[in-house]
Amino acid sequence: MVAHGSTMMCKLGRPGIGFGAGGLRFCRAQSLGEYGQVPSMMVTRSSGDQDGKCKFGRKCKFSHDPTTACSLFLSRKHCPKGADCFFAHSRQPPGSFTKTPRPLQQTRLTPATLDPDYEARFRKWTFLIPRNNHHSPNITTFFNIGWDLLASSDASGQQRLIKKLASEEGLNMIKTLVEAVGDAQEDDEALSLFTGSVVPFLQILTYPNVASSLILEHPLDTIYNFLYGPGGRRGAMVFRFTARALSLAVLTSDNDIKRISALNPCVAALQRLIDLNQGAQLQQEFEPIVETMSACVEPDSILPESRRCLDKIRLRLGLGSLIPSAAKTKPSPIGKAYFAISYDLPGELSANGPRHDNDHEDIDDIQILPTAEEINSTRLEYLPFNNTMNGHLTGLPALLDRQFRLLREDAIGGLRDAVRRETKRLTKGSLAAVRSKNSNTERTYVHEDLRLQRWEVDRRKGIQLVVDFEQPRHIAQKGEPARKDWWESSRRLQPTSLVCIVTSSGQTIFCLVCDPEPTAPVKRRHPPRNEHEAQAAATEEEAAEAEFQRRKIEMPSLHKQNNRAAVMLTVVETAWQHVAWISRHLVKSRSLTRMSLVEFPGVLLPSFQPTLKALQSMSKSLDLPFTEYLAPEVLQEGIVEVAPPLYTQQRSFAFDLGPIAKGSPLKLSTNQPFDRSVFNSNTTLDGAQQSAVLHALTNGLALIQGPPGTGKSYTGVSIIKALLHNREAGNIGPIICVCYTNHALDQLLEHLVEDGIKQVVRIGGRSKSELLKNINLRDLAQEIQLTRDEGQEKYQLYQQLNSSIDEIEGLLKDLNALGSEESSKSYLMQTWPSHHKQLFESVELDDGFKLVTYEKDVVGRWLQGAISTATRDLPASALHQMALNEMSATERQRVYSGWIEERANQLAMELDNALEPYTETRVELDKYYQEQQRRALSEAYIVGVTTSGLAKNLDVLRHLRSKVMVCEEAGEVLEAHTLTALLPSVEHAILIGDHQQLRPQVKDYHLCHDNPRGKHLALDISLFERLVSPAHDTKLPPLPFSRLKIQRRMHPSIAELIRRTLYVDLKDHATVCEYPAVDGMRDRLFWLTHNNREDGADPTQAQSDSKSNSFEVSMVSALASHLVRQGTYAAEDIAILTPYVRQLQNLRRSLGGMFEVVMSDRDIEALEEQETFKDARPAPPPSTIRKTTLANALRIATVDNFQGEEAKIIILSFVRSNAEGKCGFLKTSNRINVALSRARHGMYIVGDSQTASSVPMWAEIIGLLESQGNIGPTLSLCCPRHPEDLIEVSTPDEFAILSPEGGSKPYIELFVASNGAYGANLAVTTHAQSPAVIPVIPNAKSR
């Protein structure tokens, strides 16, 4: 076939061939005059009229169909031709409305490229690199062909190209480009070089799939560092030229597409260059460059990406924001008075100097876990207040600094205090540690008489430490099966548990418990090539199998020995000092140091470490979006107007609301009026929900408050549907959906999947949903095939890893042998030959005889064989010059300790050097798995993750380029977690929650807002609450938010409790007025008050503040049994709530004999933690009541773990009853709100109203109930068959006597008349379901 132009051949397999959807070939020809663009695809303008450019016309083998989808757009989500491309940039086939995406789990990346002739084109491109310096390379051709190759290839081709650019040859081509930039003087010359070479080069570096690849991070960093050059001079020159060319080309161009293609890559490359090189912040040459580029971006232009990048650059360089603040506020008066209070600042800024070796002014220098010096410090930690006027930082750095320090204090404060107490106990030798009155009461176990046994290394798990300690006394004399059962039921020292080695010398080393099961040796993947290799492989496999069997036999066990329990640990921070110290104190080293192992049950390092590290990283990069709202530098007053999302500011962009407007073609633009009446008539959303949706779509940072039962989840799903429908127009990428709990995340994703949303991915393995089990990221990532180069590189990395492990294994053997006879002999021979000679070699005596040593344990005998006990105060150097036999016992011990310490330090430093390449190799291997995850996620429409899961996967999510983040339960999420969820790429954040319900959970009450001492710290104030109601932050003005107002959950009488006290504008939907009455009860809402005091402290519980009330346990159990016996309510229609875990524990025991009790995972974990602090678990008392034959599912829960859920009937056990009027947990309006807003049909409170009335909100509720006659000392029961006959009960026994099976009053009177008061123990049939049979108890009245 002949050519269509001067360069492009329309021939199968040549560069002129393109591939579209389904493998269709298109005719391609050179249509643009500018070389280097992706060649246009030649098509006819109509089916009947040819344009003359293809002489074959309809006979051409290749497609001339202008409606055919662009192959690059379909495969890469991006076409470099933009609007100039002749093919359709649509994912729907012509004539169709929607396109069904392929299931994500079937997505598979293959090494094949889109272009079958890629290999030949790649070789041709590499041949453009000169092999010698005899001729100058054609950089225009080189970078244009490179850009063409990159845009038309898959991940494998892109990786090869970028790695080639990062090689020495590629860097030489970049150097040639830089030299050409320096030589360009005339404007025409500069413009030609810019458009022909610089722009393609920067497009290569900033191509989305390249910039987001974890595999290409290192090669890209190499290129950017080279481009930056010594002192930043090279980078300043290149971007000075770029800014000049932009000002010449972009501002004079009327072609928006060309402006985008030129400006976006230039700005993006400059941002990464400055982010990567912190020295750029000190280079004044970059400031005028940024100002020139900023002038190229008009405020109302179509370049939101460039505006955002420039704003980040300006923030990094300390320049003013390019994006004008949308806040229509006025500054506070300059003369506003305030009283300055001096603070003891951190680190060197403190007037008294640093508090300890981990006290720094920069949070990036702070270790996450406390150091030994920090643990033993007596000075209070620096904790910044809400008002940072007198702090050492302002703005965003101050916000991140404050969140890091408060979150870290909450996470490790209790650990620090517990370790300090155990250190004092070991130092002073006391039997019990003295507790400070104000110390954080972290629950701990102390395993005494710890011994460090040996080091191990596992090829998958790394370095491990085997330790053992004294078996708990109460199980030491039991048999192995009994010990095994106790350890398993106690849940102590579970894998991933955080522990700390504490010593009498003050040394503290934090570790994690790890699974002791060794990793099986890996089988050889490739067959041996010859007999020699086969023999070597067989020997290697035999040695590996022998080592594996040895480790299985010697695997530590908690229960096998009756006097000692052993466990496997990994050191959290493997600093060589820690390794050396541990090695010096192994059992063989004869150390006299006393040690304990302190365990922190329920404390998981991954629950706080990733978030704290993310905050440290953010403090360096300062790449948090919405900084102007979250941490304003200027004190403002009034409500702020939030700007629309950046992606909506493109010209002609408008949301299509069809999916939530019954398919109507309704458009919503951020700068055009909107007709609410059309929306209202075509949607199922109520008026408040409509306002919330519109608010969410038109505000970059949107806040939606959802009072109980108002449909927060339904509104959130509607918002997500609207966003998904416009994902292509806004190029928003995957939507990140963040929830606080796994249960809430499952519910949200189930709603989306059931509504037909495709391409949903869930991150995290704690899902209980069968519907979501096939869309877990862990499984989907395994379906992503590595490229050929990646597979080869991964294999090489594993070879390097094996080599490192072999070296580490040898060093650990030497460390394990430290203190042994062989180790001492070898060390002395190399380091102290004179000492070696005296101990191990024959000695010639004065009489001519030789003294030959044949004894074992020579060193031990020498240590114990001293005659003199005198102690001379000699320096170490003098001791080493003495004869060993002349030393006293103390001197011998000093010399021996010196040998051990010196040898341990030497080996530890060698191990530290060996660990460095091992760690680097592990990190590189992890990147390949993360890259598989990123590719899977890039295919997703929805990515669901919990707040803790997000922090663990930040490295992957930060490379995803998602523009939208939706956070549900935002009022329950700590601000630090919300900040980490605001990825740098996010342009649109939607926070949905209710700050008047539960606040975030905080361990340390001293950091809570409700504590007078913690009011100025307020760690439990979420970002959502701080933005909506910033009374707790004197610097931040309130942001606008939308509130849902129509509740569809509670009967109006129940809703009145929270309407009267919290939500004055809350309205009831018509459906809640039609709820039926509660069977078996006169009233649907009642408070049964009593004066039975709460139980005393539980002697079996250590350091527990949980409460219980035995009367309420019995009363609630009897009431629940009465309601179930009505036969009306199905599984989980009834839920019992209590604020205390101890009461929950007692309720489970009481109800367990009658019902199958259903509990949430979080409540089960809380109960297990409660029970682990008992030496044994007492079994529930045997029940004399048979289990019912109903669905047998009765839900019990703590108030805190029932938010977001509901039940037809709620029974609330108040628990607290005391003379002091202390309400405990239920004194806060947030918990009261949750407790009172879960019921749909009926709610019954059992509690002491006099104690409750000490809280203002409870007093108001009690007054309301009194006015309606819904509170009293007796509860009125009734039977559905005889509603006019009421039965009054006030004690649990009266249920059994007066309503044994939900009976009516005539039946009960006859029953009691026949049997007296002793009928409570009889099982009778339910009279509401079958004829009554009146049994008679013999001699009942005479008893």
Side-chain angles (χ1 to χ4, degrees), residues 763-921:
I763 299 178
R766 301 193 65 181
S767 173
K768 303 296 182 183
S769 171
E770 287 294 318
L771 188 63
L772 307 177
K773 66 179 182 180
N774 292 328
I775 58 172
N776 189 277
L777 177 61
R778 180 182 55 222
D779 300 325
L780 296 176
Q782 295 176 359
E783 295 294 319
I784 304 298
Q785 184 175 334
L786 294 173
T787 66
R788 181 182 59 188
D789 289 348
E790 288 171 345
Q792 294 174 351
E793 292 166 359
K794 194 173 179 180
Y795 175 77
Q796 292 173 359
L797 287 172
Y798 271 117
Q799 295 298 106
Q800 296 174 19
L801 189 70
N802 289 336
S803 177
S804 296
I805 290 177
D806 290 340
E807 182 181 0
I808 291 170
E809 202 168 29
L811 290 169
L812 291 183
K813 287 181 179 179
D814 291 340
L815 285 170
N816 285 334
L818 204 64
S820 67
E821 192 84 352
E822 295 78 8
S823 175
S824 299
K825 188 174 182 180
S826 174
Y827 167 72
L828 291 177
M829 181 182 295
Q830 297 175 9
T831 311
W832 299 101
S834 62
H835 292 171
H836 176 272
K837 183 176 182 179
Q838 295 177 56
L839 283 176
F840 298 102
E841 298 180 9
S842 58
V843 180
E844 187 171 344
L845 302 178
D846 295 337
D847 54 6
F849 288 93
K850 289 185 178 181
L851 180 62
V852 182
T853 304
Y854 295 104
E855 301 173 348
K856 294 183 178 180
D857 194 16
V858 174
V859 175
R861 289 178 174 273
W862 170 71
L863 285 171
Q864 299 172 4
I867 300 175
S868 171
T869 59
T871 302
R872 290 167 289 190
D873 190 13
L874 297 175
S877 57
L879 281 177
H880 285 302
Q881 301 302 320
M882 292 178 59
L884 296 181
N885 289 330
E886 297 177 2
M887 296 180 182
S888 65
T890 304
E891 291 166 346
R892 295 185 184 199
Q893 187 62 46
R894 282 181 59 195
V895 170
Y896 176 75
S897 298
W899 295 343
I900 296 296
E901 181 174 0
E902 189 173 341
R903 179 57 173 163
N905 289 343
Q906 177 187 349
L907 290 172
M909 288 168 52
E910 291 180 18
L911 180 63
D912 190 57
N913 292 333
L915 282 174
E916 185 175 353
Y918 168 81
T919 304
E920 291 175 354
T921 306

Side-chain angles (χ1 to χ4, degrees), residues 481-639:
R483 289 195 301 271
K484 181 179 180 181
D485 290 343
W486 186 88
W487 277 108
E488 290 178 352
S489 63
S490 70
R491 298 180 61 83
R492 301 186 185 184
L493 295 174
Q494 296 289 300
T496 72
S497 296
L498 183 64
V499 296
C500 183
I501 298 174
V502 185
T503 72
S504 57
S505 63
Q507 183 71 41
T508 55
I509 301 174
F510 284 93
C511 304
L512 295 175
V513 178
C514 58
D515 184 0
E517 186 73 29
T519 301
V522 180
K523 299 294 184 181
R524 185 183 179 93
R525 293 195 303 174
H526 304 292
R529 291 171 294 184
N530 49 55
E531 184 177 351
H532 176 73
E533 190 173 301
Q535 292 178 351
T539 303
E540 182 179 338
E541 290 179 2
E542 184 179 344
E545 181 63 26
E547 175 65 14
F548 173 69
Q549 294 300 330
R550 180 196 68 79
R551 292 199 62 190
K552 283 187 71 71
I553 295 172
E554 299 179 1
M555 189 169 66
S557 170
L558 290 167
H559 57 81
K560 284 188 177 180
Q561 298 184 33
N562 65 340
N563 60 337
R564 306 289 295 179
V567 67
M568 185 85 79
L569 306 177
T570 57
V571 180
V572 175
E573 298 288 344
T574 53
W576 74 266
Q577 295 90 341
H578 286 167
V579 174
W581 190 94
I582 291 173
S583 302
R584 293 199 307 270
H585 293 79
L586 293 176
V587 171
K588 293 181 180 179
S589 65
R590 300 181 175 90
S591 172
L592 302 178
T593 304
R594 299 175 61 210
M595 289 179 276
S596 297
L597 188 68
V598 180
E599 179 184 359
F600 312 99
V603 178
L604 299 177
L605 190 61
S607 67
F608 59 88
Q609 187 184 51
T611 303
L612 290 173
K613 287 189 173 182
L615 290 172
Q616 288 178 318
S617 176
M618 292 163 65
S619 71
K620 292 188 295 184
S621 62
L622 296 177
D623 55 0
L624 182 73
F626 312 114
T627 304
E628 64 272 27
Y629 310 122
L630 305 182
E633 291 279 357
V634 180
L635 190 63
Q636 298 174 335
E637 294 179 350
I639 296 180

